[in-house]
Amino acid sequence: MLQTLFKTKITPALVIYESILKSNIERAASSITKDRGIKLRPHFKTSKILEVATLQKEYGAVGFTCATVEELQALCGRGFLDLFFANQPIGYSKIKKIIEIATQCDLKIALDSMEAAIPVSEAAIQAGIKIPYLIEIDTGLGRAGVVPSEAFQLAKNIKELPGLILNGIFGHEGHLYLTRDIEERKKKGREIGEMTVNAAEKIRKMGIECDTVSVGSTPGLISAPFVKGVTEARPGTYVFNDENQNYLGVSKPDSCAVQVVSRVISRPKSKVAIIDAGLKAMSSDRSLQNKGYGSIQGRNDKINFYTAFEEHGVLTGDGVEPLEVGDLVGIIPNHACGTVNMWSKALVVRNNRITAEWSITARH
Ligand SMILES: Cc1ncc(COP(=O)(O)O)c(C=O)c1O
């Protein structure tokens, strides 16, 4: 099929298979929201594409999670108004933009310290608004966030700041990428959900309202959102899936909606093929199993994409032998979010034809 699709197309190219995309969106939406009352707030950092956000909204997303100001601006500018900035708003210029956006949409922000909270509160007062915030807790990833048992203390301190109002509590269980065993991951996901609910309860016991209890990750989707008391899920990668999700058993190659399509440009020796997709096409995200820069569709067991230069990829292994200069390969990225961010546009395949080009609008 690639030969027909790409007869007149330049490679490398980022390709989105729309029917897979839609079924990923539909599957997650129905498992999270249907009959369960859990809100779905997908992370926009994965696609950064407005057409994808539109589909997610059609299938029940209440709003979006963002990691950058560009993502917020892209969504807000196109009428997606329920937004959560799940990142610490630090620095004068970023705060200024956040306040600007908060005057145009229903924006919630993340906070994990008084140092972060005070300048935002002051800027909000100056703008005559109150900004809702969620306390970020570290549920085990070892990134930003307070220890869950300390969240109540931060809520108490921030209550004294008139420009801010508590909306809830959230964590990102990215450490679940390290647990491949599904039952074990389910158990850890449940514990993380419980940890988040307990931290919210402790805040409520002080008489402070804490409506949102939010968890977020694709590998955690099997259990964390379903803990009683969790109100919201924020998966991102689920929309495309990738080789790392395949490795974890979260997805399969045929549920990966995004690929980089590349041509063999040289066969310098036996069992080696050089392709025109390198680091600038794939991103430098290594796979969870430290196995190179992506998996060659249909031939992953026999071809290793182990080395990449800026515009060159090096494929090795027995599976390379049938490849000739000019042949096309589809590559499932290790990490969809990092790969998509390398591109300014994606070609969209619908009914076995390339029918549209979508802009990666919110790239840096
Ligand atoms: C704060 C936050 N929420 C949600 C997500 C979504 O996680 P995933 O990419 O596993 O779906 C991320 C991913 O980086 C994140 O940082």
Side-chain angles (χ1 to χ4, degrees):
M1 178 170 94
L2 282 184
Q3 294 297 342
T4 322
L5 278 179
F6 270 80
K7 207 167 167 193
T8 60
K9 298 286 176 200
I10 289 180
T11 53
L14 185 74
V15 174
I16 292 173
Y17 292 91
E18 195 189 48
S19 62
I20 304 177
L21 170 74
K22 279 186 177 165
S23 71
N24 291 348
I25 291 174
E26 193 175 7
R27 195 176 334 106
S30 70
S31 101
I32 292 169
T33 57
K34 203 176 155 197
D35 304 329
R36 287 182 152 127
I38 303 158
K39 290 180 180 159
L40 177 60
R41 183 181 295 281
H43 207 312
F44 188 53
K45 54 118 200 176
T46 300
S47 81
K48 298 178 185 257
I49 298 172
L50 290 165
E51 287 85 347
V52 173
T54 303
L55 282 172
Q56 289 171 307
K57 196 171 173 192
E58 269 172 38
Y59 282 97
V62 294
F64 290 89
T65 306
C66 296
T68 67
V69 166
E70 288 82 355
E71 291 165 13
L72 290 173
Q73 284 172 322
L75 287 169
C76 180
R78 283 290 277 272
F80 296 94
L81 299 182
D82 185 345
L83 304 177
F84 171 39
F85 184 60
N87 211 341
Q88 303 296 317
I90 305 297
Y92 173 81
S93 302
K94 201 180 274 184
I95 294 172
K96 198 161 165 252
K97 279 280 171 227
I98 291 288
I99 299 290
E100 219 175 276
I101 295 163
T103 59
Q104 295 161 26
C105 68
D106 168 14
L107 177 67
K108 295 159 272 293
I109 60 165
L111 291 171
D112 75 350
S113 70
M114 287 303 276
E115 288 79 1
I118 291 167
V120 183
S121 174
E122 283 169 359
I125 295 163
Q126 263 193 6
I129 57 173
K130 244 182 195 303
I131 299 200
Y133 74 96
L134 281 81
I135 290 183
E136 179 165 11
I137 56 170
D138 179 6
T139 54
L141 176 61
R143 205 171 69 176
V146 294
V147 177
S149 60
E150 295 298 316
F152 80 97
Q153 190 56 52
L154 186 60
K156 197 169 161 198
N157 295 346
I158 296 182
K159 199 166 185 306
E160 304 304 316
L161 303 178
L164 294 165
I165 180 156
L166 186 77
N167 172 271
I169 190 159
F170 83 104
H172 164 51
E173 55 279 8
H175 48 304
L176 290 182
Y177 279 86
L178 302 178
T179 306
R180 199 172 173 210
D181 181 87
I182 291 180
E183 285 312 313
E184 185 61 19
R185 198 166 68 240
K186 236 184 205 171
K187 180 168 161 276
K188 286 186 180 168
R190 271 195 296 270
E191 286 165 6
I192 287 162
E194 281 157 14
M195 210 186 284
T196 314
V197 170
N198 291 341
E201 270 308 309
K202 218 166 158 184
I203 292 172
R204 291 179 189 127
K205 278 201 179 118
M206 288 187 314
I208 301 176
E209 279 180 36
C210 182
D211 291 340
T212 304
V213 179
S214 178
V215 295
S217 76
T218 296
L221 268 186
I222 42 172
S223 61
F226 309 131
V227 170
K228 192 166 179 293
V230 170
T231 66
E232 178 181 278
R234 308 180 322 276
T237 309
Y238 81 101
V239 76
F240 290 143
N241 289 321
D242 54 27
E243 181 56 15
N244 284 341
Q245 303 297 341
N246 294 344
Y247 174 68
L248 290 173
V250 170
S251 57
K252 296 205 166 83
D254 63 7
S255 48
C256 291
V258 75
Q259 271 187 14
V260 172
V261 175
S262 175
R263 280 192 171 88
V264 175
I265 56 166
S266 176
R267 285 292 323 270
K269 54 185 162 186
S270 160
K271 298 188 185 177
V272 177
I274 309 301
I275 56 172
D276 59 6
L279 291 174
K280 286 178 178 168
M282 303 308 305
S283 89
S284 54
D285 281 313
R286 303 282 294 179
S287 69
L288 285 174
Q289 32 180 348
N290 198 23
K291 252 189 83 190
Y293 292 93
S295 108
I296 308 301
Q297 196 197 17
R299 306 182 216 211
N300 194 34
D301 50 336
K302 296 208 175 78
I303 298 184
N304 194 356
F305 184 177
Y306 196 68
T307 311
F309 300 82
E310 284 181 68
E311 291 87 10
H312 296 76
V314 182
L315 308 185
T316 57
D318 291 343
V320 163
E321 286 310 37
L323 290 177
E324 294 176 5
V325 168
D327 280 354
L328 289 151
V329 287
I331 310 161
I332 298 174
N334 293 331
H335 182 203
C337 317
T339 299
V340 171
N341 190 52
M342 304 304 285
W343 295 85
S344 55
K345 63 173 192 213
L347 303 177
V348 183
V349 175
R350 188 181 293 146
N351 300 328
N352 294 332
R353 287 181 46 227
I354 294 172
T355 55
E357 245 183 52
W358 288 346
S359 289
I360 322 294
T361 310
R363 284 180 77 207
H364 283 285

